[in-house]
Amino acid sequence: FLLSLKLENKTKGKLQKQICQVVLDHFEKQYTTELGDTWTSVRDVLTYPLCWQYGILLNKFSQSAGLEDTLLEKGYHPAFRGPLPYLPASLKCYIRRSPGRFPAQKHQAGKLKEYYLLNAASLLPVLALEVKDGEDVLDLCAAPGGKSVAILQCAYPGQFHCNEYDALRSRWLKQTIESFIPDPLINLITVSELDGRQVGDLKPELYDKVLVDAPCSNDRSWLFSSDTQQATLRLMQRKELSSLQFQLLRSAIKALRPGGSLVYSTCTLSRAENSDVINLLLNSCSNIVPADISEMAKAVSQEFAFLRGMQQHELLVLPEKGRTWGPMYVAKLRKM
């Protein structure tokens, strides 16, 4: 009991991080303008980690007897309960209304983990992608690997290409894959460290489905930057992110086969990195059309809070008390 108490206090200590005032002031200005009154309630969640909830994605390749029963006893329930346009029976994620994190499992060489802890909203891009068995799939900015693992819970792609340009994050991605995916299946996965902006030219029209979970200004983690100088630099460079995101999307479109689908996602509330990037793409690429994801949003609206007034091809998950998921922007496009 004492050990569990120590662990709990350690966790609480970790969660009571210091807010970076420079970032908060920047967000105050931008998001009050973009979100209006909604920003106040979103800010209250983002700046108070003790109220954050965590989803538990079960690993179908390493199922533990009794784990689902344990979760149900602890007040967890399935995050996704039809009628979703796409919900493979093998994708199982559990959530609960109360905050707190289920204990994480350590990486052990040669042993698969039974579950992955994540922000449940990060599964929405995977559900929007609708991967089927045998399809060729590209995860263009794949680290740390949660969405790649989730895709493999849903289906067995023909070929699965996970790319991560950053060397350090690429190591993290490889470790995640090793922790969750068994040997025979790992052989079907290609992990590369290519510049995502060049993948489309290197691999034109090779994929049925492409996920672009783009580098973005990660609102949750930026708010707790421990280095004020680094935070200030990040905020100055923030304007350049939308240009990078646009280039990654252009590359993804080249890599996509005609008739294929592309899902774009970020974990920021910033309009410049979300709707503006997608609108620019739709206006400049005649072979791309929006794909409706409003049915999916409607089906999960009990568990997730969405920003009103979005187009049918996009959604933005807003963190709120009791549903602290997000921020997560998702947009879906189709190549003609």
Side-chain angles (χ1 to χ4, degrees), residues 248-322:
L248 288 168
L249 280 165
R250 289 292 296 260
S251 173
I253 288 163
K254 287 180 186 173
L256 196 60
R257 290 182 180 132
S261 301
L262 179 153
V263 168
Y264 173 74
S265 58
T266 73
C267 49
T268 179
L269 298 160
S270 174
R271 192 183 294 157
E273 297 174 54
N274 294 338
S275 299
D276 288 358
V277 175
I278 292 298
N279 290 337
L280 181 62
L281 192 78
L282 286 167
N283 291 332
S284 60
C285 296
S286 56
N287 60 341
I288 290 294
V289 293
D292 189 349
I293 54 170
S294 58
E295 283 301 309
M296 179 186 85
K298 202 161 73 183
V300 297
S301 58
Q302 260 188 306
E303 303 292 359
F304 299 92
F306 297 109
L307 180 67
R308 293 170 189 272
M310 301 295 275
Q311 310 259 354
Q312 288 188 317
H313 62 275
E314 59 177 357
L315 58 84
L316 178 61
V317 180
L318 299 174
E320 64 170 35
K321 292 262 165 64

Side-chain angles (χ1 to χ4, degrees), residues 35-96:
L35 301 172
D37 296 341
T38 311
W39 164 240
T40 311
S41 56
V42 170
R43 182 193 59 208
D44 290 348
V45 170
L46 290 182
T47 54
Y48 187 57
L50 289 176
C51 78
W52 293 359
Q53 296 154 276
Y54 294 86
I56 300 166
L57 174 67
L58 303 194
N59 185 11
K60 71 176 182 184
F61 304 111
S62 170
Q63 281 179 334
S64 123
L67 176 58
E68 286 187 74
D69 292 338
T70 303
L71 291 172
L72 292 168
E73 280 164 23
K74 288 182 177 292
Y76 285 86
H77 62 269
F80 306 107
R81 295 177 280 196
L84 277 143
Y86 171 85
L87 182 61
S90 52
L91 181 78
K92 291 183 177 179
C93 177
Y94 281 83
I95 59 175
R96 66 175 178 182

